[in-house]
């Protein structure tokens, strides 16, 4: 299953989520109406009054559920960091020197670069001794990854990498958005238990106090309605468990498989699952909000549950290691009861360290088939992961330090975006100095360095981020000041900052068809053809190759826009709204244009990765057959 098929699956799950939510609400409304009819003795009323009474109760119930769900959803608009903080999460500084936290950030940064997505916020749940983790957010730009203190202490680097890879699968495949929306909807159907508990308590207390005045009957309906709301609330709990299980369980198998695909080994994630099964704390969280986030966790939030949100632990391990015997967990439990494992000690014993293979140079060309590119969207492999580790090794330490520094990140970013022309770089002293340091930075390191700086940029106060957005937008509008690669990098970072500052919690439709967006698609393909082929005839042939991939049999004349890359400003929102299958064809057409000669240079690959990022189709770093 590739990225675009997963996107279609997520859309189907979204439809199922809405249907299950509607069914749960209908069941709750029925229970509340029956209780209200009995409590207020309304069953003997005439049909007109009865219909009015039922309508009033139904509207009140729907309003309570809808308002609660809306308020909770709006409260979660702060992004994944909001969820992490609610569970007691503490941010991990980008420049931390703590060995365990540094190891965590290194793994997260490597995985982000390997996945082609922004580096998320990183949190630790210091009060949680169990092994667990989650990813939350509306988009990759406002995502947060959180792990428990138990995961940091008990997992070795391979195992931690497997857990983080599992969570990144949820990030790149759009599961997070569904998860966080599910939190809002579940709160709505569980909210009635809060109202019911209050009414029942008020009714019982009121009844007890008024017995001396022979008016206990006036409190009885209130207590009965409260009791009915409690029952309805528990119907909501049951429905919520069913919804969580329905939405979550199969995706956990897929995320486990994706983690193996990312890391090309099963020992990491399988080892983490075995430690959950063999340690007394398991994956159980102490937080009172654990049930609300149970569907988005790496492991079960509680030891027992009527409707588990995750597949059985032994089944998950057996899917990774077919020869696994569940009795092994009992042996591990006895061994670890005497001496709990230490992840860092295991790292030392195994000599774990990321590999750093050789990388293609700036002028080299890589043979990459278009279908191979599509298969790599949101599907990083071991080579992408080791490539990302090597990228981090190749970026000079002073630049890494500046990227991770809250104050130095802004001039560094502007230095990356400024043109190589001296008169353009004179716009700001700090940016000028940064640009001077970055002139010789290879093309394949510019986008990763910008992504590494993203958490520091996002951590600045909103007014400062707004000022940075304005500066980047001004740079984009400076016609002739930046080339296509610089424009796309500027636009990508602008989009990421906007999404992190104003997360979009609306239901995304993604229902545009290619036939309705051919003008925007033609503009993108024409600009890419013009940039990659100075000869007009060759550029037109590359363009037509892209059109043939996008819309076979359609005649779209080659007409590069007069205003160049600025013509893409109105194209991105249109193209990003394409249906998953149509977006897949657009990416294939983009690849066909860029690789018209069968080869791609490193700058062309980085340009392609940037375009895919703008289309929310993250493309990992690519390593192909280098020809020189």
């Amino acid at each position: 299953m590739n990225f675009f098929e997963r996107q279609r699956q997520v859309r189907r799950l979204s439809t199922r989520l809405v249907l299950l939510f509607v069914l749960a609400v209908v069941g709750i409304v029925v229970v509340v109406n029956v209780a209200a009819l009995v409590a207020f003795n309304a069953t003997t009323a005439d049909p007109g009054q009865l219909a009015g009474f039922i309508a009033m109760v139904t509207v009140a119930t729907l309003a309570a559920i809808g308002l609660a769900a809306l308020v909770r959803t709006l409260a979660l608009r702060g992004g994944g960091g909001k969820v992490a903080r609610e569970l007691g999460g503490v941010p991990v500084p980008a420049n931390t020197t703590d060995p365990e936290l540094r190891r965590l950030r290194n793994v997260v940064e490597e995985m982000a670069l390997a996945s082609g997505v922004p580096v998320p916020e990183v949190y630790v749940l210091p009060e949680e001794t169990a092994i667990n983790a989650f990813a939350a957010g509306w988009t990759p730009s406002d995502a947060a990854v959180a792990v428990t203190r138990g995961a940091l202490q008990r997992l070795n680097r391979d195992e931690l990498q497997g857990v983080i890879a599992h969570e990144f699968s949820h990030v790149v495949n759009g599961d997070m958005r569904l998860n966080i929306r599910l939190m809002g909807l579940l709160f709505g159907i569980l909210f009635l238990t809060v109202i019911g508990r209050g009414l029942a308590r008020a009714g019982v207390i009121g009844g007890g106090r008024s017995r001396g005045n022979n008016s206990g009957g006036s409190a009885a309906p209130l207590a009965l309605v409260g009791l009915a709301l409690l029952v309805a609330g528990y119907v909501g709990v049951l429905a919520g468990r069913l919804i969580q299980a329905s939405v979550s369980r199969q995706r956990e198998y897929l995320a486990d498989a994706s983690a193996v695909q990312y890391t090309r080994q099963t020992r990491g994630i399988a080892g983490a699952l075995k430690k959950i099964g063999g340690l007394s704390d398991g994956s159980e969280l102490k937080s009172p909000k654990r049930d609300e986030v149970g569907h988005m966790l790496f492991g079960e939030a509680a030891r027992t549950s009527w409707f588990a949100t995750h597949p059985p632990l032994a089944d998950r391990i057996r899917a990774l290691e077919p020869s696994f015997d569940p009795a092994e967990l009992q042996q591990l439990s006895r061994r670890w009861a005497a001496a709990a494992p230490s992840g860092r000690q295991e790292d030392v014993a195994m000599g774990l360290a990321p590999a750093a293979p050789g990388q293609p140079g700036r002028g080299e060309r890589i043979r990459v088939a278009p279908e191979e590119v599509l298969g790599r969207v949101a599907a990083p492999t071991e080579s992408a992961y080791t490539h990302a580790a090597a990228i981090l090794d190749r970026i000079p330490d002073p630049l890494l330090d500046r990227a991770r520094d809250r104050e130095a990140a802004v001039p560094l970013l502007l230095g990356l975006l400024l043109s190589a022309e001296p008169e353009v770089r004179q716009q700001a002293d700090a940016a000028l100095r940064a640009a001077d340091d970055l002139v010789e930075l290879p093309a394949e390191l510019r986008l990763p360095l910008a992504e590494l700086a993203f958490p520091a940029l996002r951590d600045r106060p909103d007014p400062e981020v707004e000022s940075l957005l304005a500066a980047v937008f001004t740079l984009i509008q400076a016609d002739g000041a930046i080339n296509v690669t610089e424009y796309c990098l500027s636009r990508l970072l602008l989009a990421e900052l906007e999404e992190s500052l104003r997360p979009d919690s609306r239901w995304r439709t993604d229902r545009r068809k290619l036939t309705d967006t051919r003008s925007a698609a033609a503009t993108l393909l024409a600009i890419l053809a013009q940039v990659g082929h100075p000869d007009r005839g060759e550029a037109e042939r590359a363009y037509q190759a892209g059109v043939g991939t996008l819309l076979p049999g359609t005649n779209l004349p080659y007409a590069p826009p007069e205003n160049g890359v600025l013509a893409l400003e109105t194209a991105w929102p249109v193209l990003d709204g394409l249906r998953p299958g149509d977006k897949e064809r657009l990416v294939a057409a983009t690849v066909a244009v860029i690789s018209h000669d069968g080869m791609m240079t490193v700058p062309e690959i980085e340009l392609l990765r940037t375009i895919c990022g703008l289309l929310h189709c993250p493309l990992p770093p690519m390593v192909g057959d280098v020809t020189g």
Side-chain angles (χ1 to χ4, degrees), residues 58 340 359 488 543 553:
T58 299
Q359 303 300 315
C488 287
Y543 168 80

Side-chain angles (χ1 to χ4, degrees), residues 220-514:
L222 190 63
L224 187 56
V225 171
L227 181 62
L229 288 178
L230 276 175
V231 173
Y234 285 115
V235 170
V237 171
L238 176 63
R241 296 289 189 202
L242 285 170
I243 292 173
Q244 285 180 314
S246 173
V247 170
S248 176
R249 295 188 63 158
Q250 187 59 34
R251 291 183 305 147
E252 293 306 308
Y253 280 125
L254 292 173
D256 286 348
S258 294
V260 173
Q261 179 182 343
Y262 286 17
T263 60
R264 275 297 183 267
Q265 44 93 359
T266 60
R267 66 179 181 273
I269 189 167
L273 292 169
K274 289 176 183 177
K275 285 182 176 177
I276 288 176
L279 290 170
S280 58
D281 287 329
S283 59
E284 183 178 9
L285 297 187
K286 302 173 184 176
S287 171
K289 292 182 177 291
R290 66 184 186 182
D291 291 336
E292 190 178 5
V293 299
H295 58 285
M296 64 172 62
L297 296 173
F298 176 73
E300 286 285 357
R303 291 186 182 276
T304 58
S305 177
W306 291 350
F307 298 98
T309 56
H310 293 61
L313 198 64
D315 291 352
R316 291 177 68 182
I317 300 174
R318 193 178 292 112
L320 300 167
E321 297 179 356
S323 61
F324 170 74
D325 183 356
E328 182 182 338
L329 293 179
Q330 298 176 1
Q331 300 171 5
L332 292 173
S333 181
R334 287 192 293 269
R335 185 207 306 173
W336 289 333
S342 166
R344 291 183 62 198
Q345 290 179 3
E346 291 178 8
D347 285 347
V348 173
M350 293 185 290
L352 291 177
Q359 303 300 315
R362 187 181 187 95
E364 293 175 334
R365 295 161 65 81
I366 299 175
R367 189 182 303 279
V368 182
E371 59 273 13
E372 183 182 0
V373 176
L374 288 176
R376 293 188 184 184
V377 172
T381 60
E382 181 188 19
S383 61
Y385 186 79
T386 53
H387 186 108
I391 285 175
L392 285 173
D393 287 341
R394 293 179 62 204
I395 297 176
D397 288 340
L399 292 183
L400 284 177
D401 292 340
R402 288 159 66 182
R404 292 165 175 160
D405 184 83
R406 190 169 176 269
E407 300 301 326
V410 171
L412 178 72
L413 172 65
L414 293 176
L416 277 171
L417 301 182
L418 286 174
S419 168
E421 295 299 324
E423 61 271 19
V424 178
R425 290 174 22 234
Q426 291 174 357
Q427 294 183 42
D429 290 340
L432 173 61
R433 290 192 295 272
D436 287 337
D437 294 338
L438 296 163
V439 167
E440 300 301 323
L441 189 69
E444 69 271 19
L445 301 183
R446 300 177 72 84
L447 176 58
L449 182 59
E451 297 291 19
L452 289 171
F454 184 70
L457 299 173
R458 182 171 51 188
D459 190 42
R460 299 179 71 86
D462 287 356
E464 294 185 20
V465 177
E466 293 280 8
S467 297
L468 179 59
L469 286 172
V472 175
F473 184 76
T474 299
L475 186 61
I476 287 176
Q477 299 296 322
D479 189 22
I482 56 176
N483 60 35
V484 173
T485 302
E486 291 164 337
Y487 163 80
C488 287
L489 178 57
S490 304
R491 170 45 65 186
L492 176 60
L493 291 175
L494 181 63
E496 290 175 355
L497 285 171
E498 286 179 331
E499 288 180 4
S500 68
L501 191 63
R502 293 178 283 274
D504 184 5
S505 60
R506 296 172 299 172
W507 290 96
R508 293 184 62 180
T509 55
D510 295 340
R511 296 186 182 279
R512 288 195 176 97
K513 300 178 181 178
L514 276 174

Side-chain angles (χ1 to χ4, degrees), residues 93 95-102:
N95 56 356
T96 180
T97 57
D98 180 277
E100 286 183 346
L101 299 181
R102 184 71 261 162

